Amino acid sequence: MLKNNILFTFIIFILCACAAPSYNYKPEVENISLPPLGVQNTVNIGDDMVRQGTIVKAEVLSFDTLTKINFAYSIPPGNYRKTGDSSVGQNFATTSIEGQQVTIRALADPVVSILLKSNKDICLITFLNLASCSTSEITTPPTIRQIILPSDRSFQQTLIYSGKVGNRIKIGYREFIHNMARSDFSNDVEYDLTESKTIGYKGALIEVIDANNQSITYKVIRNFNTTQ
């Protein structure tokens, strides 16, 4: 039995080299404030009039199909977060954002990282820092793309145009955290344009230029609680 295990491990790593995963990558934190202040803008009913907040973006290695590395390992479809860069290539997590995990055949060593080498080869790094690489050409190669991540640091506020009745316009307020709406903080308000063409909510200040039951034209004087 021991001889079989040794032989199995030797076969898996016969084309492998030593490699250690890297963990030096940091997702990008981006502050958004749209539209620009003082610029005339037009949106339709249901569109965001004002949007401000913080989002977290990260690179992922995206597999569209099940990808076999060799007879011992395969990578399910999904988006795998980047963890670092090294002189060998780029490292990614072994569990996708969707919850899929790299599958391992019995007796094979556990894996700790997906490695995309500089020459585009796909390898899996084990806890022994051995790289098990694909032994054949991958029919559908993975791609690197950037996505918005669910994060405690992600928070957005929006004002949404909801239409006009007579001289009154309807505006919806929404908050999002972890890319999910916070229903307890949602609100819908109405403004009488005969009283003032300038409306405000939670620090945001808007000059209404024209409004009807299809669209609204306006300028943002101030965004939520800031001057940005």
Side-chain angles (χ1 to χ4, degrees):
M1 183 66 177
L2 180 59
K3 289 183 179 180
N4 290 340
N5 290 353
I6 294 174
L7 178 61
F8 186 85
T9 302
F10 175 75
I11 292 173
I12 292 174
F13 298 109
I14 198 168
L15 298 177
C16 298
C18 291
S22 54
Y23 300 97
N24 55 8
Y25 175 74
K26 293 183 179 180
E28 175 187 347
V29 179
E30 179 180 333
N31 294 317
I32 56 173
S33 183
L34 299 171
L37 299 183
V39 176
Q40 183 170 306
N41 193 50
T42 300
V43 300
N44 296 321
I45 289 179
D47 291 340
D48 292 346
M49 296 176 61
V50 179
R51 182 160 61 97
Q52 187 176 42
T54 302
I55 59 175
V56 179
K57 294 181 177 179
E59 289 185 355
V60 296
L61 189 60
S62 183
F63 291 84
D64 292 332
T65 60
L66 181 68
T67 301
K68 292 186 177 182
I69 300 304
N70 49 43
F71 64 91
Y73 303 104
S74 60
I75 304 174
N79 297 296
Y80 296 80
R81 287 183 59 173
K82 184 174 181 178
T83 61
D85 292 286
S86 70
S87 58
V88 180
Q90 302 178 67
N91 289 104
F92 299 84
T94 57
T95 300
S96 72
I97 293 174
E98 299 79 12
Q100 298 288 340
Q101 292 184 317
V102 173
T103 56
I104 305 171
R105 184 176 174 180
L107 303 181
D109 288 335
V111 294
V112 295
S113 181
I114 299 172
L115 171 65
L116 176 64
K117 298 179 69 174
S118 302
N119 63 2
K120 304 303 180 183
D121 283 350
I122 300 294
C123 304
L124 293 172
I125 299 177
T126 74
F127 78 105
L128 295 175
N129 286 344
L130 294 174
S132 178
C133 301
S134 177
T135 55
S136 60
E137 183 178 353
I138 296 175
T139 304
T140 307
T143 56
I144 294 178
R145 61 191 187 95
Q146 193 175 62
I147 66 172
I148 297 176
L149 294 176
S151 170
D152 290 337
R153 303 179 69 179
S154 294
F155 175 74
Q156 293 186 58
Q157 296 171 282
T158 65
L159 289 179
I160 302 168
Y161 184 53
S162 301
K164 183 182 180 184
V165 177
N167 289 319
R168 303 177 72 86
I169 60 171
K170 297 180 179 180
I171 305 293
Y173 173 76
R174 304 290 184 268
E175 288 187 4
F176 298 86
I177 192 167
H178 310 284
N179 299 331
M180 298 180 63
R182 305 174 74 190
S183 57
D184 291 344
F185 294 86
S186 297
N187 195 18
D188 295 287
V189 294
E190 291 188 1
Y191 297 89
D192 189 347
L193 296 182
T194 59
E195 294 184 0
S196 175
K197 293 284 189 177
T198 301
I199 63 174
Y201 193 86
K202 280 190 175 288
L205 202 61
I206 297 171
E207 176 190 348
V208 179
I209 299 171
D210 183 53
N212 53 50
N213 260 330
Q214 293 182 342
S215 63
I216 184 170
T217 300
Y218 62 100
K219 291 181 182 179
V220 177
I221 301 171
R222 185 177 63 233
N223 216 317
F224 296 106
N225 303 316
T226 75
T227 58
Q228 298 181 358

